[in-house]
Amino acid sequence: MIFNNVDFDTYFKHYPDANGYFGKYGGAYVSEELKIAMQDITEAYQTICKSRKFISELRRIRKEFQGRPTPISYLERLSGKLGNVQLYAKREDLNHTGAHKLNHCMGEALLAKYMGKKKVIAETGAGQHGVALATAAAYFGLECDIYMGSVDIKKQAPNVARMKILGARVIEVTEGLQTLKEAVDAAFAAYCREYKDAIYCIGSVLGPHPFPMMVRDFQSVVGIEAREQFLEMTGELPDAVVACVGGGSNAAGMFAGFLNDPVDIYGVEPLGRGPALGDHAASLKYGTEGIMHGFNSIMLKDENGEPAPVYSVASGLDYPSSGPEHAFLHDLGRVKYDVVDDEETINAFFELSRMEGIIPAIESAHAVAYGMKLAKQMGKGSVLINLSGRGDKDMDYIIEKYGIRE
Ligand SMILES: *Cc1c(COP(=O)(O)O)cnc(C)c1O
């Protein structure tokens, strides 16, 4: 399928290009020293991802350890309530550790093992990426250093405990605001010191090349499975596919399965409390082109051109940019990026729980909310929603802030 001069038949061959660009977005804006480390990782990945041994080992792990393929569920009662559109959910909440993040963490850790590295390094905000990476490190017998701001360590005690139980070192970052941004800086600095023995594992389709490509490729299992399963269940393709977008990894994986199909694709960003800067994290909707954290993309900036403060009810979505591939697909118009606010999201959270017996992660509830809105607009057809994770991690927050809505 050709869309605005891009041939999606051969899309994955050309995007990103050899330097990691999706159109003008992407690249690797890092120090000369790190450039060499990134080239090493790129070369290793390019070799390994074609190796039969690597592919079959990853397949085995997906099946025996992660519990893949995850199913697609038909949301029968919710569909009935909304009208004549059939809603379906791809159940990444049933992936081991309860979200899609393990899909790329297992890939990154397997790559680390093949490259002869002893350690994986990452930062974490809410702790979800840290837990997924600690899980992968335990599986492969790798050391794991997770950098986390002091404020987040206090807020996310259960995830800190999980990482430690899994054998990771959680390294407290006491600089600045003591949250994700400082943790990113500390993890990057550690990687610069240790890159000979360690590999830096990014938590989404972000950062310098080759990470946006690698993470997308590892996550594409979601879209490839979903396309096959949906065809088998219904005999057709869905009319629309929906996923929430923070950094954009679950969306990139899901979309990868459908880019070359006559399917409408929607990425859903968090509008939070509203459109004023600081009240949301809808970077593709309200942002402008810029470079941060080693890549060129669309980002939210403050008056000094620095990454702006962002907010979302879902801690996994509050990042001031999105992956370069999303910026590309946004400009191209192949994917439509839209928003839902906190209130719509929380309503969808309770609706899916009550109507279907599935408690979604608040991140995923953004996609559910949008899927429900879309169903009302469409009037007929089918919508496939990527349910990126389960809501167990959000229970305390929901109870405290919203109650249980009897
Ligand atoms: C981390 C997280 C997200 C956001 O990350 P993406 O890279 O945008 O996918 C979404 N859903 C869940 C459940 C998460 O844990």
Side-chain angles (χ1 to χ4, degrees):
M1 182 176 83
I2 293 175
F3 189 95
N4 272 344
N5 295 327
V6 171
D7 186 352
F8 280 95
D9 258 336
T10 54
Y11 175 79
F12 294 103
K13 251 192 219 146
H14 302 295
Y15 297 93
D17 69 14
N19 296 316
Y21 283 92
F22 301 85
K24 62 182 170 175
Y25 301 113
Y29 297 83
V30 291
S31 67
E32 283 309 309
E33 202 181 10
L34 269 190
K35 240 183 206 149
I36 293 165
M38 290 301 139
Q39 274 161 8
D40 278 354
I41 298 176
T42 307
E43 274 167 36
Y45 175 69
Q46 298 287 18
T47 312
I48 279 163
C49 73
K50 293 183 199 93
S51 130
R52 208 161 276 180
K53 205 166 150 230
F54 183 86
I55 294 168
S56 66
E57 192 166 355
L58 194 57
R59 274 207 191 123
R60 184 186 60 74
I61 289 166
R62 298 244 191 263
K63 181 162 179 251
E64 295 174 8
F65 180 66
Q66 290 183 232
R68 304 204 67 90
T70 58
I72 287 181
S73 299
Y74 172 40
L75 308 178
E76 186 170 2
R77 294 217 311 129
L78 189 60
S79 304
K81 185 173 171 185
L82 293 171
N84 284 323
V85 171
Q86 313 309 314
L87 291 168
Y88 295 81
K90 173 65 170 164
R91 302 290 306 278
E92 289 306 291
D93 60 316
L94 296 177
N95 194 29
H96 180 44
T97 71
H100 69 287
K101 285 197 175 69
L102 198 65
N103 297 334
H104 64 254
C105 285
M106 293 307 285
E108 286 175 324
L110 183 61
L111 177 69
K113 201 183 102 176
Y114 269 68
M115 290 178 76
K117 307 287 186 190
K118 293 180 183 62
K119 186 193 273 190
V120 288
I121 296 176
E123 73 287 330
T124 195
Q128 295 304 108
H129 176 51
V131 170
L133 191 61
T135 302
Y139 180 90
F140 290 109
L142 295 163
E143 287 175 52
C144 180
D145 285 355
I146 302 292
Y147 290 80
M148 195 169 182
S150 316
V151 170
D152 289 331
I153 288 182
K154 280 200 201 80
K155 268 194 354 216
Q156 308 290 343
N159 274 344
V160 174
R162 279 186 195 108
M163 287 184 268
K164 289 182 175 170
I165 287 170
L166 290 161
R169 275 208 301 164
V170 178
I171 298 158
E172 182 168 355
V173 179
T174 55
E175 277 84 28
L177 295 174
Q178 310 180 343
T179 60
L180 183 62
K181 184 187 172 299
E182 293 76 22
V184 173
D185 294 340
F188 239 91
Y191 178 63
C192 290
R193 292 191 301 271
E194 302 181 58
Y195 69 86
K196 291 207 169 68
D197 295 320
I199 186 166
Y200 183 61
C201 292
I202 290 176
S204 188
V205 283
L206 303 168
H209 180 62
F211 285 98
M213 170 183 73
M214 251 170 33
V215 171
R216 174 202 63 194
D217 291 355
F218 289 139
Q219 285 295 345
S220 67
V221 67
V222 175
I224 293 168
E225 279 178 13
R227 187 179 188 280
E228 226 168 81
Q229 290 167 319
F230 199 92
L231 277 170
E232 198 181 299
M233 280 173 89
T234 69
E236 346 181 297
L237 290 169
D239 293 297
V241 166
V242 179
C244 66
V245 179
S249 65
N250 86 85
M254 182 58 135
F255 298 171
F258 296 94
L259 286 172
N260 193 32
D261 291 318
V263 168
D264 294 331
I265 304 180
Y266 297 90
V268 186
E269 297 192 293
L271 185 60
R273 295 181 288 246
L277 192 67
D279 280 346
H280 64 83
S283 42
L284 294 163
K285 178 145 181 120
Y286 296 110
T288 49
E289 187 177 348
I291 294 170
M292 64 180 272
H293 297 159
F295 64 104
N296 186 39
S297 187
I298 296 175
M299 58 189 263
L300 294 165
K301 298 175 215 166
D302 65 14
E303 61 277 12
N304 303 318
E306 294 296 313
V310 285
Y311 160 81
S312 165
V313 65
S315 55
L317 300 181
D318 64 355
Y319 184 72
S321 182
S322 289
E325 186 170 17
H326 288 294
F328 174 69
L329 293 169
H330 168 271
D331 288 6
L332 193 67
R334 176 64 190 96
V335 176
K336 184 167 189 285
Y337 294 87
D338 207 343
V339 294
V340 295
D341 65 18
D342 282 1
E343 196 187 326
E344 294 169 298
T345 299
I346 297 301
N347 288 338
F349 171 91
F350 282 101
E351 197 76 347
L352 189 73
S353 302
R354 296 274 152 89
M355 300 294 293
E356 297 292 342
I358 302 169
I359 302 179
I362 303 179
E363 290 81 2
S364 323
H366 284 76
V368 177
Y370 196 79
M372 288 164 58
K373 273 215 286 209
L374 202 58
K376 285 185 196 152
Q377 285 164 20
M378 285 164 57
K380 63 178 176 39
S382 60
V383 178
L384 173 62
I385 298 164
N386 196 21
L387 209 71
S388 54
R390 68 181 178 219
D392 302 40
K393 68 182 178 60
D394 298 314
M395 282 302 103
D396 289 348
Y397 180 80
I398 290 282
I399 292 164
E400 190 187 313
K401 189 120 186 258
Y402 301 95
I404 49 175
R405 290 200 182 168
E406 281 176 78

